[in-house]
Amino acid sequence: MIEKIVKFRRVASTQDTAKRFVHEQRELAVMALSQNMGRGRQGRIWFSPKGGLYVSLLLFPKKRLTSIPLLASLSVIKTLENLGFSKLLINWPNDVVLNNRKICGVVCERSGDAVICGIGLNVNVDGFGPRLISATSLSLEAGRDFDVDEILERLIDRFNELYDELQQKGLRVKEVLNYIAGLGEPVEVITAKEVIKGTVSDIDDDWALLLRDESGIVRKFYYGDVRRLQW
Ligand code: BTN
């Protein structure tokens, strides 16, 4: 349960700043107004100018929780729905897309017994440059700015509710399934080792993605990127 938010003006990456709190053995959130070395999954850079929301959740999950990235994405979706946004989907495992454009990325890293779950949400970001043509922000979509602190508080509340539910009784996977982009559609799952074409068939009780590959075999993925082949 996250009860404390530690705020910084500018850091290299909130992921690294959060690591400095691991020894406190207490769940908390570290946020920054901007980052100069924000990072995404697979060594990608996360564009982190002022106006975005950059937060890392320092967690000590009681069980082996493969679901933390999905939980973070679901918390973002619930927060944004509450602000009046719709057409939000999760690009498994952990990107949130709004009108098919990426609005939020999640990266989870381990540090000893801790999991550091970083969430980057494009709030008041008005331009992304040519390399990020498929990105969007809340301000671009709504034509107005938002209060980043208020969004952060709502996001932490939603996360706490879901995290608690998950640890107490196991969250219903079905709830997430409603938001998975590409369910039943042809996709490619891209891992560090291979690219496999198939159809997304389900999310199982481990919160892994089940893909029916082209030869009809159902394969299970905990990590990877899903690219939809048809929209
Ligand atoms: C991705 O889409 O690849 C994940 C992006 C995660 C970005 C967030 S911003 C807060 C935290 N600090 C970082 O350096 N990265 C994560």
Side-chain angles (χ1 to χ4, degrees):
M1 176 74 70
I2 293 173
E3 284 165 347
K4 181 174 156 184
I5 303 174
V6 191
K7 296 187 178 176
F8 293 85
R9 199 182 297 275
R10 186 173 176 82
V11 298
S13 160
T14 54
Q15 292 294 96
D16 296 331
T17 313
K19 264 183 208 156
R20 302 212 303 262
F21 291 88
V22 170
H23 71 276
E24 289 189 14
Q25 293 285 302
R26 175 178 171 191
E27 294 187 319
L28 51 77
V30 171
M31 76 87 84
L33 300 181
S34 68
Q35 306 180 109
N36 51 29
M37 279 172 59
R39 60 174 182 266
R41 287 179 298 124
Q42 296 167 0
R44 290 188 288 247
I45 289 169
W46 186 255
F47 180 54
S48 309
K50 262 194 218 153
L53 170 55
Y54 313 107
V55 62
S56 293
L57 312 179
L58 174 60
L59 305 166
F60 297 91
K62 292 189 192 78
K63 302 177 200 158
R64 189 182 75 96
L65 293 180
T66 47
S67 49
I68 301 275
L70 279 171
L71 210 63
S73 303
L74 191 58
S75 316
V76 170
I77 287 187
K78 288 185 171 263
T79 305
L80 299 186
E81 282 184 342
N82 208 257
L83 288 170
F85 290 95
S86 55
K87 297 203 181 136
L88 291 150
L89 289 173
I90 299 173
N91 246 357
W92 187 90
N94 47 15
D95 289 345
V96 177
V97 293
L98 174 60
N99 293 327
N100 295 333
R101 288 173 178 268
K102 180 159 167 171
I103 194 137
C104 169
V106 175
V107 64
C108 282
E109 298 170 348
R110 294 204 74 98
S111 179
D113 56 345
V115 173
I116 299 172
C117 179
I119 304 171
L121 175 63
N122 301 328
V123 182
N124 307 316
V125 181
D126 290 333
F128 292 93
R131 293 190 57 213
L132 288 172
I133 40 170
S134 59
T136 191
S137 68
L138 297 185
S139 58
L140 284 175
E141 295 291 326
R144 68 170 178 99
D145 277 358
F146 290 82
D147 182 333
V148 177
D149 282 328
E150 190 191 322
I151 293 181
L152 175 63
E153 273 174 32
R154 291 184 186 208
L155 174 61
I156 302 280
D157 287 347
R158 293 292 84 71
F159 183 85
N160 278 338
E161 283 164 15
L162 292 169
Y163 187 51
D164 188 51
E165 197 179 329
L166 178 76
Q167 306 224 65
Q168 302 298 325
K169 19 183 194 195
L171 193 70
R172 296 170 309 278
V173 169
K174 283 280 165 285
E175 187 168 4
V176 175
L177 217 48
N178 293 331
Y179 292 105
I180 297 289
L183 204 67
E185 291 177 14
V187 296
E188 271 178 353
V189 177
I190 303 159
T191 72
K193 286 189 231 141
E194 49 185 351
V195 178
I196 310 101
K197 281 198 174 68
T199 313
V200 177
S201 60
D202 209 348
I203 300 284
D204 78 357
D205 290 342
D206 275 356
W207 295 58
L209 182 91
L210 299 184
L211 180 88
R212 186 176 300 279
D213 73 13
E214 288 178 312
S215 56
I217 296 168
V218 175
R219 301 180 52 172
K220 182 164 171 166
F221 294 90
Y222 288 101
Y223 304 100
D225 274 314
V226 173
R227 198 166 73 86
R228 292 165 82 181
L229 298 175
Q230 257 177 22
W231 292 86

